Amino acid sequence: MMKVTLIAPEGLKEKYLREAADEYIKRLRGFCDLKIAEFSPFKLPEKPSAPQIAAALDREAEQILKKIPEGSRTAALCIEGKMLSSEELAAEIRAADNSGTPFTFIIGSSHGLAEQVKKNADIRLSFSKMTFPHQLFRVLLLEQLYRAYKINSGSCNFCSLIALTNL
């Protein structure tokens, strides 16, 4: 079973987000060995300066880079990343799975990811040109991972309908 690691800021504060994440984590158990590795976001003042943000991101990067499993294909989730369809994400996961390569996805804190983390990644992914709160984004990513595995198993009816309408 493929090993997937999701690196994200500590904890989900809202009950509804925890419940949604837990549901997708439960669903993913049938498809992959999922590990959530959390890091502690660095506390910043209310209106941080650019140097303060950069220093915080560098401190977070130290934690993040230690959590990436050796030999893992790594995706940094950032707004400047490449946008993939659900089917394209499924193909990325299928390729890693077929080669026996673990996959790691990294969600940054409120100010994003340090350039060091992005440079270390094999791929930079974006879900939208819009910005999402990192806690909500965790749920979005888990849903897309579940959808990717459903696509790869041939049991994503919604995705099959989309493919048929695009013929």
Side-chain angles (χ1 to χ4, degrees):
M1 188 173 282
M2 182 179 190
K3 291 184 184 296
V4 176
T5 302
L6 170 56
I7 301 173
E10 282 179 333
L12 295 174
K13 294 177 186 171
E14 304 296 335
K15 181 181 177 187
Y16 69 95
L17 292 173
R18 284 192 311 271
E19 289 172 349
D22 288 345
E23 178 62 27
Y24 284 111
I25 290 167
K26 181 177 78 176
R27 292 179 186 193
L28 282 162
R29 284 188 193 129
F31 296 102
C32 66
D33 178 7
L34 177 66
K35 176 184 175 191
I36 308 289
E38 295 181 333
F39 65 90
S40 300
F42 188 76
K43 304 278 189 259
L44 286 165
E46 189 157 323
K47 293 185 180 190
S49 66
Q52 288 173 315
I53 293 169
L57 292 178
D58 286 343
R59 283 185 158 166
E60 292 169 2
E62 291 173 15
Q63 294 179 66
I64 290 168
L65 294 172
K66 290 177 186 174
K67 294 180 183 298
I68 299 171
E70 192 172 323
S72 182
R73 179 156 173 73
T74 307
L77 294 142
C78 47
I79 199 162
E80 73 274 13
K82 180 178 179 181
M83 284 191 244
L84 300 178
S85 68
S86 296
E87 293 80 7
E88 290 169 326
L89 178 60
E92 285 279 338
I93 290 170
R94 185 172 48 252
D97 193 17
N98 288 343
S99 68
T101 304
F103 215 124
T104 299
F105 295 87
I106 306 168
I107 299 173
S109 63
S110 299
H111 292 284
L113 290 168
E115 194 59 35
Q116 174 184 1
V117 173
K118 295 176 195 179
K119 284 180 180 175
N120 189 64
D122 296 302
I123 184 171
R124 295 180 190 196
L125 293 179
S126 175
F127 278 21
S128 172
K129 290 182 180 181
M130 292 183 248
T131 302
F132 298 101
H134 58 82
Q135 293 195 2
L136 176 60
F137 193 77
R138 184 189 300 208
V139 175
L140 293 172
L141 176 58
L142 289 167
E143 188 281 333
Q144 283 300 299
L145 289 174
Y146 176 68
R147 184 178 300 273
Y149 279 105
K150 294 291 279 184
I151 291 167
N152 287 341
S153 72
S155 61
C156 183
N157 294 332
F158 177 73
C159 297
S160 299
L161 289 173
I162 291 173
L164 288 174
T165 59
N166 289 330
L167 293 177

